[in-house]
Amino acid sequence: DTAVSQTPKYLVTQMGNDKSIKCEQNLGHDTMYWYKQDSKKFLKIMFSYNNKELIINETVPNRFSPKSPDKAHLNLHINSLELGDSAVYFCASSQVGQGNSPLHFGNGTRLTVT
Amino acid sequence: DQQVKQNSPSLSVQEGRISILNCDYTNSMFDYFLWYKKYPAEGPTFLISISSIKDKNEDGRFTVFLNKSAKHLSLHIVPSQPGDSAVYFCAASDLSAGGTSYGKLTFGQGTILTVHP
């Protein structure tokens, strides 16, 4: 009965490769997010989708492309991976417009680029 | 420029005593604040929140205090339990910016709380 699930949990790959991280939520929320936790442990928002529409796009390289096939899924595709992309990526979801619905996070995907 | 700061990387407390975690922010537009708790290899879990129209919110053993003039908030855990040992993140958002900004949280770097039996 996992609320927000993301796969894979660990991802080790070489520079220049293309990889994807998948995220699914079964909470019925209308908004999904990708956050990145860098080496200094700060969590920073990357993207937000509301009902499959991109609404937040922070300063993220074009190599990162989110895709939302439906409001329960938000996948993250990364092209031409670089060493600096190594981080933990968290997917999250919330319901916007129902008061202050807090974000529910997945357990993260630790990406290591060698 | 970090707009949310948790200046104590770690805090160690005896079981049964009070834990006080602190957070400072610089952006005066922030009007909604949250605390998240994170265990290793898991995602952050929502703990408690407070709107800028309040100065205190309580939920069981957890109380959050907000001092808007000082741009400071704190989380009090009383009594502390060993199961509370985790990383605690303070987060803030500007809800007045509109619904599309909801969920755009600015996080602090976290404080590791260790509660000793």
Side-chain angles (χ1 to χ4, degrees), chain A residues 5-11 18-24 34-35 46 64-67 73-78 81 85 87-91 108-111:
Chain A
S5 60
Q6 48 184 114
T7 55
K9 190 169 180 65
Y10 300 97
L11 185 54
D18 303 337
K19 290 293 179 185
S20 293
I21 307 172
K22 296 185 176 181
C23 179
E24 175 182 3
W34 277 108
Y35 274 78
M46 300 173 68
F64 290 79
S65 54
K67 286 185 173 51
H73 295 83
L74 180 62
N75 304 322
L76 183 65
H77 190 75
I78 315 171
L81 278 155
D85 297 331
V88 182
Y89 293 84
F90 288 96
C91 177
T109 295
R110 181 173 294 277
L111 171 65

Side-chain angles (χ1 to χ4, degrees), chain A residues 8-114:
Chain A
K9 190 169 180 65
Y10 300 97
L11 185 54
V12 181
T13 188
Q14 290 184 327
M15 280 195 306
N17 285 347
D18 303 337
K19 290 293 179 185
S20 293
I21 307 172
K22 296 185 176 181
C23 179
E24 175 182 3
Q25 55 97 3
N26 62 6
L27 295 166
H29 288 163
D30 62 1
T31 305
M32 296 185 71
Y33 313 81
W34 277 108
Y35 274 78
K36 177 182 179 180
Q37 185 177 32
D38 60 23
S39 57
K40 295 183 179 180
K41 305 301 182 187
F42 287 106
L43 275 154
K44 295 182 180 177
I45 192 167
M46 300 173 68
F47 302 101
S48 169
Y49 269 74
N50 177 267
N51 284 317
K52 302 194 300 176
E53 181 184 350
L54 180 66
I55 56 173
I56 295 176
N57 184 352
E58 291 297 288
T59 308
V60 178
N62 291 337
R63 299 181 294 102
F64 290 79
S65 54
K67 286 185 173 51
S68 182
D70 54 63
K71 73 173 191 177
H73 295 83
L74 180 62
N75 304 322
L76 183 65
H77 190 75
I78 315 171
N79 289 328
S80 303
L81 278 155
E82 300 177 356
L83 292 176
D85 297 331
S86 296
V88 182
Y89 293 84
F90 288 96
C91 177
S93 73
S94 72
Q95 184 67 22
V96 174
Q98 274 191 354
N100 297 326
S101 168
L103 268 65
H104 292 253
F105 284 87
N107 285 337
T109 295
R110 181 173 294 277
L111 171 65
T112 303
V113 182
T114 61

Side-chain angles (χ1 to χ4, degrees), chain B residues 6 8-15 17-21 35-40 47 61-62 75-89 110-116:
Chain B
Q6 295 175 253
S8 297
S10 62
L11 174 67
S12 183
V13 171
Q14 205 67 29
E15 181 179 6
R17 307 293 289 268
I18 184 172
S19 294
I20 300 176
L21 297 115
W35 284 94
Y36 277 82
K37 173 180 176 180
K38 184 183 181 303
Y39 292 117
L47 202 53
R61 298 186 297 114
F62 302 91
L75 174 68
H76 292 210
I77 307 173
V78 183
S80 301
Q81 299 173 355
D84 295 330
S85 297
V87 179
Y88 288 78
F89 289 97
T111 296
I112 301 171
L113 173 66
T114 304
V115 181
H116 298 283

